[in-house]
Amino acid sequence: QDKMYIPLISKGFQHQFWQAVKAGADKAAADLGVTVTFEGPDSETQVDRQIDMLAAALAKKPAAIGFAALDSQAALPLLQQAKDAKIPVVAFDSGVEGDIPVATASTNNIAAAALAADKMAALIGDEGKVALVVHDQTSRTGIDRRDGFVNRMKEAHPKVEIVAIEYGEGDHLKSTEITKAILQANPDLKGMFGANEGSAIGVVNGAKELGRQLVIIGYDSGAQQKAAIRDGQMAGAITQNPVGIGYKTVEAAVKAAKGEAVEKNIDTGFYYYDKTNIDQPEIAAVLYD
Amino acid sequence: MNAVVVMKDIEKSFPGVRALHNAQLELRSGEVHALMGENGAGKSTMMKILAGIYRRDGGEILLDGKPVDINSPRQAQDLGIGIIHQELNLMPHLTAAQNMFIGREPRKAAGLLLDEGKLNGQAAEIFASMHLKLDPRTLVGGLTIARQQMVEIAKALSYRSRVLIMDEPTAALNDAEINELFAIIARLKAEGVGIVYISHKMDELKRIADRVTIMRDGEYIGTVPAETTPVEKIISMMVGRALTDERPDVPDHSNSEVVLEVRNLNRGATIRDVSFSVRKGEILGFAGLMGAGRTEVARAIFGADRRDGGDIFMHGKKVDIHMPQDAVRAGIGYLSEDRKHFGLATGMDVRNNVVLASLRRFTGPGGLLKEAAMHDVAVRYIDQLAIKTPSDKQEVRLLSGGNQQKIVIAKWLLRDCEVLIFDEPTRGIDVGAKNEIYKLLNALAQQGRAIIVISSELPEVLRLSHRIAVMCEGRLTGILSGGASQEEIMHLATLRGEGANNNNKQTKPAKGEAK
Amino acid sequence: MSATASSGTASIGSKFSGAHRLLAFASLIALVLVFSLASPNFMQTSNIIAILQATSVNGVLAIAATLVIITGGIDLSVGTLMTFCAVIAGVVLTFWGMPLGLGVLAAILAGAASGTLSGTFVAKLKIPPFIATLGMMLILKGLSLVISGTRPIYFNGTPGFTQISQGSLIGTVIPGLPIPNGVLILFLVAIATSFILERTILGRFTFALGSNEEAVRLSGVNTDRWKIAVYALAGGICGIAGLLIASRLNSAQPALGQGYELDAIAAVVIGGTSLSGGRGTIIGTLIGALIISVLANGLRILSVAQEWQTVVTGSIIILAVYTDILRRRRL
Amino acid sequence: MSATASSGTASIGSKFSGAHRLLAFASLIALVLVFSLASPNFMQTSNIIAILQATSVNGVLAIAATLVIITGGIDLSVGTLMTFCAVIAGVVLTFWGMPLGLGVLAAILAGAASGTLSGTFVAKLKIPPFIATLGMMLILKGLSLVISGTRPIYFNGTPGFTQISQGSLIGTVIPGLPIPNGVLILFLVAIATSFILERTILGRFTFALGSNEEAVRLSGVNTDRWKIAVYALAGGICGIAGLLIASRLNSAQPALGQGYELDAIAAVVIGGTSLSGGRGTIIGTLIGALIISVLANGLRILSVAQEWQTVVTGSIIILAVYTDILRRRRL
Ligand SMILES: Nc1ncnc2c1ncn2[C@@H]1O[C@H](COP(=O)(O)OP(=O)(O)OP(=O)(O)O)[C@@H](O)[C@H]1O
Ligand SMILES: Nc1ncnc2c1ncn2[C@@H]1O[C@H](COP(=O)(O)OP(=O)(O)OP(=O)(O)O)[C@@H](O)[C@H]1O
Ligand SMILES: [Mg+2]
Ligand SMILES: [Mg+2]
């Protein structure tokens, strides 16, 4: 009855990436004997909805809170409230500005997207046109992945031209239509980057429907993306370690609640995977269906 | 003769209103039974109970001597009871034929598909039997009220009921159509159909009714034979006192100032070159057959419809009227013939409908409304026009048809325009109230207003008008003086074809004619 | 559609005849012209097919919405109902391993059942359609997640499933015209629904209910039953949309669907159907859906920045409808 | 045309009086009771304040939507207009460094201007409100992104800005009651709008337009002007919502807003305002908005799984409205 209660307020809920984070959190909860709940708004634009969720979580007097801020500034008053109530906050997925979080379990999205850019450049011979389908124009992850990719191309691969960046809300169908229009407008396009699972699947679908061959790099995993990599439609993808993020977040939260010391920055890491290493144990471990 | 329907001791109350108390009716087959009473007496309510629309609170209904419960319109239909409602109940987006046969469409392909051809054919047959020239495929929403009413009648006929209720079927019709309807009624009667006939037109009683049942304040007053009972007696039973009705003399306005002058008004094929003028203190009647274009002329003057050409002058000065608000600002008011769609905000209360055109007058600083003053005015008109309503906060849609009409009149009386155009002002209004409205119009004229009355009831036009303009097919075929005869009017009203406009010399030179 | 127009009269729905019918396409044709001139990549078979395919899901949803809107109601649940039906197909085909036909049937029946429920709320309980279908939208959204276990259901075990939308029957007959089945299905649904609307008793009551429900009721018709039937039919059509999207994505994505109702309703209204009921055509809705797809595709082909795409789309929707209003006023 | 008039009672606006007024809260009170019994964490000052705070933005938007809906229209642009106004405030305060008052004024004026434009489309160009405001929704969404450069604008340079919503005037007067200003503003806007609706000529015409616009026009009223005025007022109120959300988040989030119109309209309809116009109250809308917030908060407090939260929310919305219908029928 008196299990420790730790709510996780995430950026999303329905996407497979977040479901994988949730799975990690649930596993940690089972291992450590605590209760966790997992909640996030429908879209990464709904900053205020996330704040409302945080408020409700605080009202439940939790032992600690896991929080993936859509906009850390906006959450500041409530985070302060948590701090005042001595409820430790563990940031996950992306960082929270300021010194309130006792720990941060996150992926460096900028570096991860830069790695995708390097791989893309290598696969297309360091020159030619590429395009991006990103899930969101204003959210932290959307911006970081876009900018990480674009800036790296500019700096390290000047002959690669980015001809289009479109945003598809991570919706598989919308991303498919966007991809088809981009391909139609750029008959000589060599590669595309899909910045999250839905975007990446959309790119694969779009290319397949138009019967176009090009280098596709995705992000995150999921059954369809893994299949696309296996059968060669997708060159490779960046994966984070969502299960690890969820697990580490809960782990750190429990420690902090007990007053134990926690590591300030928990880098959960990211990997590039393709046909060659997809079945290696360290990669397989961080992929989800 | 046997009674087909007997309604005994019927009770019905609405929140705040006791609509029926001890109401009685006995209808025999093959008779036309008129149901008479003032506005709000409970006639429509009584008939809605018989047609399965309202449930009665008490009392008994016998059909062929057997007690029945009529719970739905469908059940009433199955029992052979048909009704023509007072307020039109049509689907404006559907055609005339589709309206008539809704729910009873002829089918083909084993009942899977609609048989449009047969549908239109059957409708056309009924129209032909009514001598009604109407394409069954016309959309009902585009028809005038009168034609919509004819579609309702055609619909009711198509049911071939044993009992047919007609709730003010002639309110929107002119004489020609009324004659047609009466011919139909005579035919039905011969076939043994029992007809309940509600009307406020007293002259119709003598023409078609066999017996008359009179109601007052929701109660049964009595049933009398139509032929032998003098109209005055029926009226006094209705209103509880005797009415006097004398026609005032036609005053001479030839020296009065011309207030409104209309020159060469044109709009498509419906208004062709109409010119006329009205003087201060004068009542100009507009007569004509259905679709003659009188309503169109009024709407065009008022700015409710675009006009193709023509100038309007007030006190000799040309006024630009593009929208109704221009007309009202220039001092012209228009009371529409279609109160439900163009006259009332039926979801709002009596008070707000009365002040609708004059709201500015009840607005203080900061846009604040003076509710108390609005209340006083509303109550004043409720008294003056004897509007039957529990209070001035009652929603207008809950009032009886005639009382709704009075509210539209009150709205324009309050607005106090110099020129008032009344389009069918007494539609659905009982004899007593009609008299009051005639007196009112006369009083308004005496106060110096210029008044135009469009009416399809010739006696009304004759009774009220100082001069009578007659239209036919969009043309003004002549202007007669007040003392004109029905024959003269009918002659002009049927003066068709080109050259009618040049026929002014045929008409009697009317007193005070501007030209 | 041409049913009543052939007799040359203005009857329900068939306001378009002959030359006017062409004019109704005016905004759509203008758009296509502008984009064709602006980019050589626009007017290509592959792109036209892409546009048509992009229209298929929204088009079918919009047809469903048209039915309900003509009765004077509104259906906010079309998007999540589509997803729900896709998930049901997934359960039947992937979880239970049943044959394709049963999956298709299940999806359509699930749609019709949900429509029946919405219709019952509206007709029997007198809940305003906006609320009844808003509630259903949320319920279906949640149920899709619950049933699927918040993860996509893939149809890899049912090989023929992707053919529903992505195969091309027409292409096998006429090799030069690889129009995907999804587009074919859209047109078949449009023709069937149009036929129902114009030729059958259900269609007649659809218009009648929207025109003046009280008058229909007073004519002794069981209006409730017919209204429920219309919602059920609309639900069944959403089931077809669910099959189309699932087949296109080869998966039932349980999180998708909310927001699609707005595009669908927009297509209906752009197509000239009145939100106050009684008036509307399926052909108009198709044109509306096409306008939306052409706009989205064309602006992307022109590489307009996405934020400006939104601005332009909004403006052109207003303009297209305004043009249509002007045209009708002139007629 | 002939909206089937539901048998409501009484007259414009003043449907609630005395005991009935209390009963109208029935669904809300029932919800609060259930949640209070189910969790001790629910009925706590801090949580009640959180609920009120969560209602403030949607409540203000819903009030704006109420006005337009009473005229018989609909406003889909309230959500993105809110964002647009927030961005405008950001431009004025952060980019240009103007004083707070000017930022507030600019946001409200931007809202009113946009409302005037929507109103003109509807009244003068006769574009159906659904389309006019759908177009505006997209235009404003795009413009917010363009103006802000697709990134949030923070108000760190204007220290007082967060006080608009987060400060507590009431708290400084009554220390035990730290109700945030956002909530205070919601109630002030509600009272002011209610006053305008019930007591002024603008309000009277708002109802009259929704009841029978043609009859009002034929009464010699410049209906176009009044309609535009209503849309402008609604737009100005959206400006206030923009300030509230920006102050709450200490930033103008340019991508937020779409989808919020649905919550706002839902609050309006749950509150008993008829989508066919002519009937509605601000107090009803407030209750509707509170029902939505209480539901969301309560289900979270009870740690209901998120997919089930949606299902329960949908069901309770339908149930709440149905209860209300039953109650009215009985009266
Ligand atoms: N649905 C209703 N709710 C409340 N009151 C009603 C309703 N229907 C009718 N009434 C009232 O019942 C009374 C009888 O109305 P009814 O319509 O039967 O009169 P009527 O004799 O047909 O009058 P008219 O000649 O004006 O048509 C009136 O006072 C009317 O206001
Ligand atoms: N809304 C409309 N749409 C199409 N035609 C119309 C419309 N209203 C009137 N008309 C036509 O315009 C002509 C003139 O009609 P109007 O109503 O002015 O006649 P009226 O003399 O007032 O007759 P009524 O006694 O029927 O009122 C008729 O041919 C009529 O059918
Ligand atoms: Mg009556
Ligand atoms: Mg007329």
Side-chain angles (χ1 to χ4, degrees), chain B residues 115-148:
Chain B
D115 190 341
E116 249 353 59
K118 201 162 161 197
L119 177 81
N120 288 326
Q122 289 181 356
E125 241 171 67
I126 294 175
F127 289 161
S129 77
M130 298 166 65
H131 300 125
L132 177 64
K133 285 198 190 69
L134 181 66
D135 186 338
R137 295 168 299 188
T138 350
L139 289 185
V140 156
L143 298 176
T144 57
I145 290 266
R147 305 206 124 209
Q148 292 188 7

Side-chain angles (χ1 to χ4, degrees), chain A residues 39-40 48 52 60-61 71, chain D residues 44 154 253 260 300 306:
Chain A
E39 243 190 320
D48 64 321
D52 289 338
K60 290 189 270 185
K61 305 197 174 63
D71 187 311
Chain D
Q44 294 190 349
Y154 294 99
Q253 301 281 346
Y260 285 47
R300 282 172 195 149
Q306 197 164 349

Side-chain angles (χ1 to χ4, degrees), chain A residues 1 4 21 53 73 89 126 148-149 178 219 225 275 278 284:
Chain A
Q1 185 70 42
M4 194 180 274
V21 175
M53 290 176 177
Q73 278 213 24
V89 176
D126 219 18
F149 189 92
I178 286 172
Y219 210 106
Q225 210 165 174
K275 219 189 267 189
I278 187 166

Side-chain angles (χ1 to χ4, degrees), chain C residues 1-32:
Chain C
M1 189 93 344
S2 50
T4 35
S6 59
S7 50
T9 52
S11 114
I12 43 162
S14 56
K15 227 173 297 299
F16 306 107
S17 69
H20 304 169
R21 200 189 285 257
L22 257 173
L23 263 167
F25 288 87
S27 305
L28 180 59
I29 291 170
L31 273 180
V32 169

